[in-house]
Amino acid sequence: MGPPSAAPRGGHRPWQGLLITASLLTFWDPPTTVQFTIEALPSSAAEGKDVLLLACNISETIQAYYWHKGKTAEGSPLIAGYITDIQANIPGAAYSGRETVYPNGSLLFQNITLEDAGSYTLRTINASYDSDQATGQLHVHQNNVPGLPVGAVAGIVTGVLVGVALVAALVCFLLLSRTGRASIQRDLREQPPPASTPGHGPSHRSTFSAPLPSPRTATPIYERPPATLAVSSFSIFKASSTAS
């Protein structure tokens, strides 16, 4: 039997290198690619306004931009493209003369119409000729009131109509209340006073009262009692005798 093999100098073994490599792979996190997005500014625009489809989180290695009208670039008509090397716009089949692609990939719409509403897709190509795409929405409404969508205009009109109806109902209620009070007062004025109840006295003062006799009013002779007539006759006889 031969002598046992000697250990490598310095105590280094091959399996230790494998452990170090595995540790590095475990803790190493490769950089993630951020997906770019499309944002409409403003999110809803009126006819005749300008809208910018802003490309967000665009990589610096992009070599070309291509805008398509549709939910995907495949099979959708090309609006316009932009080549970064020559810094030039390339019009497509769906180009109307109102679209402009900027060097950062954003698309500007000028004087938009209702027909421009819909989905738009941006396809990018980087230096490695890898392709990526993202889709955004363009919302357009009729220019009824500047800066207000159709729903807001309808809400304002409805609120005004409800307010007018409430004011009219309040005016009618006040007129009816005033008319009712006037009618009641008129009925009370025209109603005759109630008749007096025997034994309880009149409910109102009577306007016709019999005059009381004056204490100095002379009582006729024929109404005087007999004793009074005798006294008067004696007085007259006595006066006549004295005069004789």
Side-chain angles (χ1 to χ4, degrees):
M1 295 180 60
S5 60
R9 294 183 179 181
H12 179 73
R13 294 176 176 81
W15 57 269
Q16 292 180 346
L18 294 176
L19 289 177
I20 295 174
T21 304
S23 299
L24 293 175
L25 292 175
T26 301
F27 291 100
W28 178 69
D29 187 13
T32 58
T33 303
V34 179
Q35 175 68 33
F36 70 91
T37 58
I38 305 299
E39 180 182 359
L41 299 176
S43 58
S44 180
E47 289 182 289
K49 301 297 182 179
D50 297 344
V51 178
L52 179 67
L53 294 179
L54 180 64
C56 305
N57 300 325
I58 291 294
S59 174
E60 297 180 356
T61 61
I62 300 300
Q63 300 295 316
Y65 303 96
Y66 297 98
W67 278 97
H68 299 262
K69 187 173 183 180
K71 295 182 178 181
T72 181
E74 291 77 11
S76 299
L78 176 65
I79 300 173
Y82 185 86
I83 309 301
T84 58
D85 291 341
I86 60 177
Q87 298 182 356
N89 278 268
I90 301 175
Y95 181 73
S96 65
R98 299 177 291 111
E99 300 88 0
T100 303
V101 182
Y102 288 113
N104 62 352
S106 301
L107 176 64
L108 175 65
F109 276 94
Q110 293 178 323
N111 192 21
I112 62 173
T113 63
L114 292 177
E115 289 75 15
D116 294 330
S119 301
Y120 291 85
T121 300
L122 172 61
R123 183 169 62 94
T124 61
I125 299 177
N126 59 15
S128 301
Y129 297 99
D130 294 328
S131 179
D132 198 2
Q133 60 182 349
T135 303
Q137 295 291 328
L138 177 60
H139 300 280
V140 184
H141 60 264
Q142 293 181 349
N143 193 10
N144 294 328
V145 178
L148 293 178
V150 178
V153 175
I156 293 174
V157 173
T158 303
V160 172
L161 293 178
V162 171
V164 172
L166 291 177
V167 172
L170 179 60
V171 172
C172 292
F173 175 76
L174 294 177
L175 290 178
L176 291 176
S177 300
R178 182 174 298 179
T179 305
R181 289 197 299 269
S183 177
I184 294 174
Q185 293 176 359
R186 183 172 61 254
D187 294 341
L188 292 176
R189 287 196 301 267
E190 294 178 356
Q191 184 178 3
S196 61
T197 304
H200 294 82
S203 59
H204 300 282
R205 292 183 178 180
S206 176
T207 56
F208 301 97
S209 58
L212 298 175
S214 174
R216 296 184 180 181
T217 304
T219 303
I221 296 176
Y222 56 85
E223 293 182 357
R224 293 180 182 180
T228 306
L229 290 176
V231 173
S232 300
S233 299
F234 177 77
S235 299
I236 294 172
F237 176 78
K238 185 178 181 180
S240 300
S241 300
T242 306
S244 301

